[in-house]
Amino acid sequence: MVAEVIVDISTADVDRIFDYAVPETIPIVVGDRVFVSFGRQRTEGIVVGLKETSEWGDKLKPIDGKADSFTAVLPEMVELMNFLAKRFFLRKADCLRLFVPAQMRGGKVRELERTAASLAPDRDLDEMMGALRSTATAQRALLAHLAGVEWEWTSALSEQFGYAALKALTEKGYVVTQSKRVIRKPYGALSGKADAVDLTPQQRVAVDTILAHPGGKFVLHGVTGSGKTEVYMTCIEEVLKAGKTAIMLVPEISLTPQTMQRFRGRFGDNVALLHSGLSAGERYDEWLRILRKEVSIVVGARSAIFAPIADVGIIIIDEEHDSSYSSESNPRYETEAIAEWRADYNGATLVLGSATPSLETYYRAQKGEFELVKMTKRVAERQLPEMQIVDMCEELRAGNKSILSRPLLDGLKETLDSGHQAMIFLNRRGYSSFMICRKCGHVLKCTSCDVSLTWHRSENLLKCHYCRNQYAVPTACPKCGSESIRYGRDGTEKVVADLQALFPQAKLLRMDNDTTRGKTGHLSILTAFGNKEADILVGTQMIAKGHDFGNVTFVGILDADMSLYIGDYHSVERTFQLVTQVAGRAGRAETPGRVVLQSYSPKHYVFYFASTYDYEGFYRKEINTREVTEFPPFRKIVRILVHADTEDEAFNYVKKVLSAARKIQNEYPRDISRLTGMRSPISRMDNKFRFQVVLRVTPEHDQEICARLFEVAMQYKTPRISVFFEQNPQNMV
Ligand code: ADP
Ligand code: ZN
Ligand code: ZN
């Protein structure tokens, strides 16, 4: 027997399958991790195929042994590897790495076993007690304790009763010990309440619709607070009854504890959690529980789509529109495409849920590729919060130079006085800044792309990220002549300081990248806020999503424009999503909520549609713009990005790729447009020079053209440079 092995080495630029002989003594199946010798190294690999003979005949090296006592990669995942390699141009070895916990490679993590003790099963308690001297109090207490439990860790017994007592009892044969597997359980303290609820009529319809078509693909468009999680859980329950399993994805690690709590409340220990924030041991144990079919539900962030779970009956992606579902660093992939692939493979139902579905997804629903299920009402007929838009230019004219508007401060005061809580949101995403006039709100835009221009500090130029255009930085607003045009912004830290000065009695919490380091960083802040230990939570987009705090009645959105002008064709869509999501945190219980949104461009249509909760209206307007300006879903944007030590190397590479791409363009004149080569928006990063080739491709020939472009991109790559091949990148810095 011959095994086809993908060797786990990162240095090799080749992505090949190597043949190894399978010794008769080692039973090997596809998906096993094995030890092999490769060159002069001994390394790990994964068996992706078995065959009778090899063209290398008897010159084959043998497999040295198995790395695990189980088969780590399911047959499904071997096929998924092929799909990923083809669809996202990934190396197969890199795909396989997605499927197993990182520390498992090289044997850096293993199952944890500890010694447990219990009463000897064949002995009588009274008899043993009788045989002990009356002065042996520790031994007596230990025996009594064990009589009340099934077993106990020896470490705990030693600590409580002393090692000597334990040793004496063990030697007498009264107590027996054995090795037991310890499951390192993430957020072990979290267990939810399992109040069964009656579904609202809209939830009922949603559940019935989804369950009516097993294997169907659905978009669940439900407003914030419509109770989507309840719909997911009810669907999962039915799927489990049919003997199948479920994958439930949430966009952020910070949302997993909350989801986990609800799921544990409903499904107990039948849920495993997978995400990159777990400790190596926890991740390994959860992963093993899944592989060994000890659980039927996997909850997690995007990497959980690679969970080794078989017989999947339903895959749910909550907050489907969220950009965290795209992996933006190597290996680059889109979670949704993988979910779709796994759903097809398993004949499973796919549910994409959101209050603000991505335009691409909604477009596909309009075309009939997904069935649309709507929930337009909040649970218990609660109202969506009323949204007030504050014109910050007006504030400035009235002499208020602060980042906090008067209506916002009024709202905060009212909220705190009534004993409710508030959330203040400030989006600091991205460091490339747009230029805005503080007097009239005018934003500088590219004349040919209708996206805002980005200020490049090093060259002091305004540039368009999609075409070649660049513009001098004006000293005054081209529209109104004012000189108060600016780009820098205050961050969350400053806002907290300002608020504290204004509301000395209030307790404040801040949640952003700086305050959430460590595994439980998110959880401790959210728990504290949930327990009303603070009155105001100030945060970045981390606080935007999903959280369900009943006592929050006021939400302030500072600088709502920030996401509007990040020089990206998604900008308007992102802003709509963000505003809707953040606003959705208010008024989720009895007291109605209120939102104050601050903007320098209050008349922008995105705020009109967001404040009236008119997703459909927004969709129609925006999809029209996308079509006219040739953006996704009507075109795919492809970027080939190069990082090099010298400007020359980067430039030469881009020159070659560009001319090769032009040749391809000649073959597909109608499918490739706006082909350009240029410096990247951030032209130097980590001391690397960055250049890029950017183009757009029609969906008709997208796969074959991308394959050709990828080939070209690799052809000119040298060992000294890094090349990134991006399809519809989430941002183009
Ligand atoms: P969404 O994800 O759509 O924003 P959630 O799933 O977080 O909404 O639900 C909002 C709140 O309503 C939660 O506190 C949830 O427990 C509660 N809820 C959901 N469905 C019901 C129901 N049928 N009856 C009562 N409360 C419900
Ligand atoms: Zn102006
Ligand atoms: Zn442009």
mmCIF file of all heavy atoms in Angstrom, residues 302-332:
data_model
loop_
_atom_site.group_PDB
_atom_site.id
_atom_site.type_symbol
_atom_site.label_atom_id
_atom_site.label_comp_id
_atom_site.label_asym_id
_atom_site.label_seq_id
_atom_site.Cartn_x
_atom_site.Cartn_y
_atom_site.Cartn_z
ATOM 1 N N ARG A 302 -14.950 32.542 13.133
ATOM 2 C CA ARG A 302 -14.882 32.006 11.763
ATOM 3 C C ARG A 302 -14.113 30.694 11.609
ATOM 4 O O ARG A 302 -14.480 29.847 10.798
ATOM 5 C CB ARG A 302 -14.342 33.061 10.808
ATOM 6 C CG ARG A 302 -12.861 33.197 10.827
ATOM 7 C CD ARG A 302 -12.323 34.097 9.759
ATOM 8 N NE ARG A 302 -10.925 34.295 10.035
ATOM 9 C CZ ARG A 302 -10.367 35.469 10.231
ATOM 10 N NH1 ARG A 302 -11.053 36.570 10.091
ATOM 11 N NH2 ARG A 302 -9.104 35.543 10.533
ATOM 12 N N SER A 303 -13.071 30.486 12.415
ATOM 13 C CA SER A 303 -12.281 29.268 12.238
ATOM 14 C C SER A 303 -13.079 28.019 12.591
ATOM 15 O O SER A 303 -12.700 26.907 12.223
ATOM 16 C CB SER A 303 -11.017 29.333 13.088
ATOM 17 O OG SER A 303 -11.360 29.434 14.455
ATOM 18 N N ALA A 304 -14.199 28.192 13.294
ATOM 19 C CA ALA A 304 -15.021 27.026 13.647
ATOM 20 C C ALA A 304 -15.668 26.388 12.424
ATOM 21 O O ALA A 304 -16.178 25.278 12.500
ATOM 22 C CB ALA A 304 -16.092 27.419 14.662
ATOM 23 N N ILE A 305 -15.614 27.065 11.299
ATOM 24 C CA ILE A 305 -16.164 26.457 10.081
ATOM 25 C C ILE A 305 -15.318 25.237 9.690
ATOM 26 O O ILE A 305 -15.743 24.380 8.936
ATOM 27 C CB ILE A 305 -16.247 27.479 8.918
ATOM 28 C CG1 ILE A 305 -17.163 26.980 7.793
ATOM 29 C CG2 ILE A 305 -14.888 27.810 8.348
ATOM 30 C CD1 ILE A 305 -18.587 26.689 8.164
ATOM 31 N N PHE A 306 -14.097 25.145 10.244
ATOM 32 C CA PHE A 306 -13.240 23.995 9.965
ATOM 33 C C PHE A 306 -13.359 22.919 11.041
ATOM 34 O O PHE A 306 -12.535 22.019 11.113
ATOM 35 C CB PHE A 306 -11.781 24.457 9.860
ATOM 36 C CG PHE A 306 -11.564 25.495 8.801
ATOM 37 C CD1 PHE A 306 -11.153 26.778 9.122
ATOM 38 C CD2 PHE A 306 -11.794 25.190 7.465
ATOM 39 C CE1 PHE A 306 -10.969 27.743 8.140
ATOM 40 C CE2 PHE A 306 -11.611 26.145 6.466
ATOM 41 C CZ PHE A 306 -11.201 27.418 6.813
ATOM 42 N N ALA A 307 -14.359 22.990 11.871
ATOM 43 C CA ALA A 307 -14.520 22.013 12.950
ATOM 44 C C ALA A 307 -14.667 20.607 12.375
ATOM 45 O O ALA A 307 -15.355 20.407 11.380
ATOM 46 C CB ALA A 307 -15.748 22.369 13.784
ATOM 47 N N PRO A 308 -14.015 19.623 13.028
ATOM 48 C CA PRO A 308 -14.058 18.251 12.515
ATOM 49 C C PRO A 308 -15.358 17.557 12.895
ATOM 50 O O PRO A 308 -15.348 16.538 13.556
ATOM 51 C CB PRO A 308 -12.848 17.606 13.193
ATOM 52 C CG PRO A 308 -12.753 18.320 14.500
ATOM 53 C CD PRO A 308 -13.180 19.737 14.227
ATOM 54 N N ILE A 309 -16.453 18.108 12.478
ATOM 55 C CA ILE A 309 -17.739 17.553 12.870
ATOM 56 C C ILE A 309 -18.386 16.913 11.652
ATOM 57 O O ILE A 309 -18.405 17.490 10.569
ATOM 58 C CB ILE A 309 -18.626 18.648 13.516
ATOM 59 C CG1 ILE A 309 -19.853 18.033 14.160
ATOM 60 C CG2 ILE A 309 -18.999 19.751 12.540
ATOM 61 C CD1 ILE A 309 -20.513 18.946 15.201
ATOM 62 N N ALA A 310 -18.880 15.697 11.849
ATOM 63 C CA ALA A 310 -19.459 14.961 10.727
ATOM 64 C C ALA A 310 -20.982 15.065 10.756
ATOM 65 O O ALA A 310 -21.560 15.507 11.752
ATOM 66 C CB ALA A 310 -19.029 13.500 10.807
ATOM 67 N N ASP A 311 -21.614 14.665 9.680
ATOM 68 C CA ASP A 311 -23.086 14.656 9.574
ATOM 69 C C ASP A 311 -23.711 16.004 9.900
ATOM 70 O O ASP A 311 -24.682 16.099 10.644
ATOM 71 C CB ASP A 311 -23.702 13.612 10.529
ATOM 72 C CG ASP A 311 -23.147 12.240 10.272
ATOM 73 O OD1 ASP A 311 -22.955 11.903 9.088
ATOM 74 O OD2 ASP A 311 -22.872 11.518 11.253
ATOM 75 N N VAL A 312 -23.153 17.043 9.334
ATOM 76 C CA VAL A 312 -23.682 18.374 9.614
ATOM 77 C C VAL A 312 -25.074 18.515 9.009
ATOM 78 O O VAL A 312 -25.289 18.198 7.837
ATOM 79 C CB VAL A 312 -22.753 19.466 9.039
ATOM 80 C CG1 VAL A 312 -23.292 20.850 9.347
ATOM 81 C CG2 VAL A 312 -21.351 19.303 9.588
ATOM 82 N N GLY A 313 -26.019 18.956 9.833
ATOM 83 C CA GLY A 313 -27.391 19.131 9.357
ATOM 84 C C GLY A 313 -27.762 20.586 9.150
ATOM 85 O O GLY A 313 -28.683 20.910 8.398
ATOM 86 N N ILE A 314 -27.047 21.481 9.866
ATOM 87 C CA ILE A 314 -27.339 22.904 9.690
ATOM 88 C C ILE A 314 -26.100 23.737 9.989
ATOM 89 O O ILE A 314 -25.340 23.419 10.911
ATOM 90 C CB ILE A 314 -28.535 23.348 10.582
ATOM 91 C CG1 ILE A 314 -29.005 24.754 10.203
ATOM 92 C CG2 ILE A 314 -28.178 23.300 12.065
ATOM 93 C CD1 ILE A 314 -30.360 25.124 10.801
ATOM 94 N N ILE A 315 -25.876 24.749 9.172
ATOM 95 C CA ILE A 315 -24.794 25.704 9.412
ATOM 96 C C ILE A 315 -25.422 27.083 9.477
ATOM 97 O O ILE A 315 -26.158 27.481 8.575
ATOM 98 C CB ILE A 315 -23.729 25.661 8.296
ATOM 99 C CG1 ILE A 315 -23.135 24.258 8.177
ATOM 100 C CG2 ILE A 315 -22.632 26.695 8.560
ATOM 101 C CD1 ILE A 315 -22.115 24.104 7.052
ATOM 102 N N ILE A 316 -25.138 27.779 10.573
ATOM 103 C CA ILE A 316 -25.719 29.103 10.761
ATOM 104 C C ILE A 316 -24.596 30.118 10.859
ATOM 105 O O ILE A 316 -23.624 29.917 11.597
ATOM 106 C CB ILE A 316 -26.568 29.140 12.049
ATOM 107 C CG1 ILE A 316 -27.777 28.211 11.880
ATOM 108 C CG2 ILE A 316 -27.038 30.557 12.356
ATOM 109 C CD1 ILE A 316 -28.452 27.851 13.180
ATOM 110 N N ILE A 317 -24.699 31.182 10.099
ATOM 111 C CA ILE A 317 -23.746 32.280 10.228
ATOM 112 C C ILE A 317 -24.520 33.482 10.735
ATOM 113 O O ILE A 317 -25.337 34.050 10.013
ATOM 114 C CB ILE A 317 -23.054 32.606 8.885
ATOM 115 C CG1 ILE A 317 -22.392 31.347 8.311
ATOM 116 C CG2 ILE A 317 -22.041 33.727 9.072
ATOM 117 C CD1 ILE A 317 -21.546 31.603 7.074
ATOM 118 N N ASP A 318 -24.272 33.841 11.996
ATOM 119 C CA ASP A 318 -24.968 34.976 12.579
ATOM 120 C C ASP A 318 -24.217 36.259 12.222
ATOM 121 O O ASP A 318 -23.001 36.252 12.108
ATOM 122 C CB ASP A 318 -25.048 34.814 14.105
ATOM 123 C CG ASP A 318 -25.981 35.850 14.716
ATOM 124 O OD1 ASP A 318 -26.909 36.310 14.013
ATOM 125 O OD2 ASP A 318 -25.807 36.199 15.887
ATOM 126 N N GLU A 319 -24.925 37.331 12.069
ATOM 127 C CA GLU A 319 -24.341 38.618 11.633
ATOM 128 C C GLU A 319 -23.518 38.370 10.378
ATOM 129 O O GLU A 319 -22.353 38.754 10.284
ATOM 130 C CB GLU A 319 -23.468 39.236 12.731
ATOM 131 C CG GLU A 319 -24.095 39.254 14.109
ATOM 132 C CD GLU A 319 -25.145 40.345 14.295
ATOM 133 O OE1 GLU A 319 -25.536 40.992 13.310
ATOM 134 O OE2 GLU A 319 -25.603 40.508 15.446
ATOM 135 N N GLU A 320 -24.166 37.760 9.450
ATOM 136 C CA GLU A 320 -23.546 37.302 8.219
ATOM 137 C C GLU A 320 -22.718 38.359 7.507
ATOM 138 O O GLU A 320 -21.715 38.074 6.852
ATOM 139 C CB GLU A 320 -24.671 36.770 7.326
ATOM 140 C CG GLU A 320 -24.464 36.645 5.849
ATOM 141 C CD GLU A 320 -24.527 37.922 5.042
ATOM 142 O OE1 GLU A 320 -25.265 38.875 5.406
ATOM 143 O OE2 GLU A 320 -23.813 37.974 4.044
ATOM 144 N N HIS A 321 -23.126 39.633 7.619
ATOM 145 C CA HIS A 321 -22.499 40.721 6.889
ATOM 146 C C HIS A 321 -21.123 41.082 7.449
ATOM 147 O O HIS A 321 -20.394 41.849 6.839
ATOM 148 C CB HIS A 321 -23.373 41.966 7.012
ATOM 149 C CG HIS A 321 -23.506 42.395 8.439
ATOM 150 N ND1 HIS A 321 -24.448 41.856 9.285
ATOM 151 C CD2 HIS A 321 -22.768 43.243 9.191
ATOM 152 C CE1 HIS A 321 -24.298 42.387 10.479
ATOM 153 N NE2 HIS A 321 -23.286 43.224 10.464
ATOM 154 N N ASP A 322 -20.778 40.524 8.597
ATOM 155 C CA ASP A 322 -19.614 41.026 9.321
ATOM 156 C C ASP A 322 -18.301 40.743 8.593
ATOM 157 O O ASP A 322 -18.076 39.637 8.110
ATOM 158 C CB ASP A 322 -19.569 40.393 10.710
ATOM 159 C CG ASP A 322 -18.682 41.178 11.621
ATOM 160 O OD1 ASP A 322 -17.460 40.916 11.622
ATOM 161 O OD2 ASP A 322 -19.199 42.058 12.306
ATOM 162 N N SER A 323 -17.429 41.748 8.565
ATOM 163 C CA SER A 323 -16.199 41.590 7.786
ATOM 164 C C SER A 323 -15.233 40.603 8.434
ATOM 165 O O SER A 323 -14.323 40.112 7.776
ATOM 166 C CB SER A 323 -15.515 42.934 7.587
ATOM 167 O OG SER A 323 -15.191 43.483 8.838
ATOM 168 N N SER A 324 -15.454 40.275 9.708
ATOM 169 C CA SER A 324 -14.530 39.327 10.337
ATOM 170 C C SER A 324 -14.656 37.924 9.735
ATOM 171 O O SER A 324 -13.810 37.071 9.980
ATOM 172 C CB SER A 324 -14.777 39.253 11.842
ATOM 173 O OG SER A 324 -15.981 38.568 12.104
ATOM 174 N N TYR A 325 -15.672 37.683 8.948
ATOM 175 C CA TYR A 325 -15.802 36.371 8.297
ATOM 176 C C TYR A 325 -14.854 36.213 7.112
ATOM 177 O O TYR A 325 -14.746 35.144 6.545
ATOM 178 C CB TYR A 325 -17.243 36.124 7.856
ATOM 179 C CG TYR A 325 -18.166 35.831 9.011
ATOM 180 C CD1 TYR A 325 -19.277 36.616 9.266
ATOM 181 C CD2 TYR A 325 -17.916 34.764 9.868
ATOM 182 C CE1 TYR A 325 -20.122 36.354 10.341
ATOM 183 C CE2 TYR A 325 -18.739 34.495 10.941
ATOM 184 C CZ TYR A 325 -19.840 35.288 11.175
ATOM 185 O OH TYR A 325 -20.662 35.021 12.230
ATOM 186 N N SER A 326 -14.224 37.312 6.728
ATOM 187 C CA SER A 326 -13.189 37.208 5.710
ATOM 188 C C SER A 326 -11.855 37.150 6.414
ATOM 189 O O SER A 326 -11.543 38.026 7.203
ATOM 190 C CB SER A 326 -13.201 38.441 4.808
ATOM 191 O OG SER A 326 -14.243 38.364 3.912
ATOM 192 N N SER A 327 -11.066 36.147 6.100
ATOM 193 C CA SER A 327 -9.722 36.115 6.638
ATOM 194 C C SER A 327 -8.852 36.986 5.757
ATOM 195 O O SER A 327 -8.720 36.737 4.557
ATOM 196 C CB SER A 327 -9.198 34.683 6.661
ATOM 197 O OG SER A 327 -7.801 34.713 6.836
ATOM 198 N N GLU A 328 -8.273 38.016 6.346
ATOM 199 C CA GLU A 328 -7.530 38.990 5.555
ATOM 200 C C GLU A 328 -6.027 38.774 5.573
ATOM 201 O O GLU A 328 -5.291 39.478 4.926
ATOM 202 C CB GLU A 328 -7.834 40.397 6.057
ATOM 203 C CG GLU A 328 -9.247 40.843 5.752
ATOM 204 C CD GLU A 328 -9.439 41.201 4.291
ATOM 205 O OE1 GLU A 328 -9.076 42.306 3.896
ATOM 206 O OE2 GLU A 328 -9.954 40.364 3.535
ATOM 207 N N SER A 329 -5.590 37.809 6.389
ATOM 208 C CA SER A 329 -4.172 37.502 6.325
ATOM 209 C C SER A 329 -4.063 36.043 5.909
ATOM 210 O O SER A 329 -5.044 35.314 5.951
ATOM 211 C CB SER A 329 -3.532 37.733 7.691
ATOM 212 O OG SER A 329 -4.240 37.010 8.666
ATOM 213 N N ASN A 330 -2.858 35.654 5.514
ATOM 214 C CA ASN A 330 -2.723 34.292 5.000
ATOM 215 C C ASN A 330 -3.042 33.249 6.047
ATOM 216 O O ASN A 330 -2.620 33.403 7.171
ATOM 217 C CB ASN A 330 -1.295 34.083 4.483
ATOM 218 C CG ASN A 330 -1.145 34.682 3.106
ATOM 219 O OD1 ASN A 330 -2.123 34.825 2.373
ATOM 220 N ND2 ASN A 330 0.072 35.043 2.764
ATOM 221 N N PRO A 331 -3.757 32.185 5.705
ATOM 222 C CA PRO A 331 -4.425 31.984 4.414
ATOM 223 C C PRO A 331 -5.719 32.785 4.304
ATOM 224 O O PRO A 331 -6.505 32.795 5.243
ATOM 225 C CB PRO A 331 -4.728 30.471 4.442
ATOM 226 C CG PRO A 331 -4.785 30.103 5.873
ATOM 227 C CD PRO A 331 -3.903 31.051 6.608
ATOM 228 N N ARG A 332 -5.875 33.432 3.185
ATOM 229 C CA ARG A 332 -7.072 34.240 2.949
ATOM 230 C C ARG A 332 -8.223 33.380 2.472
ATOM 231 O O ARG A 332 -8.056 32.568 1.556
ATOM 232 C CB ARG A 332 -6.800 35.254 1.840
ATOM 233 C CG ARG A 332 -5.981 36.409 2.268
ATOM 234 C CD ARG A 332 -5.517 37.208 1.053
ATOM 235 N NE ARG A 332 -4.301 37.905 1.420
ATOM 236 C CZ ARG A 332 -4.299 39.096 1.998
ATOM 237 N NH1 ARG A 332 -5.428 39.721 2.220
ATOM 238 N NH2 ARG A 332 -3.167 39.660 2.357
#
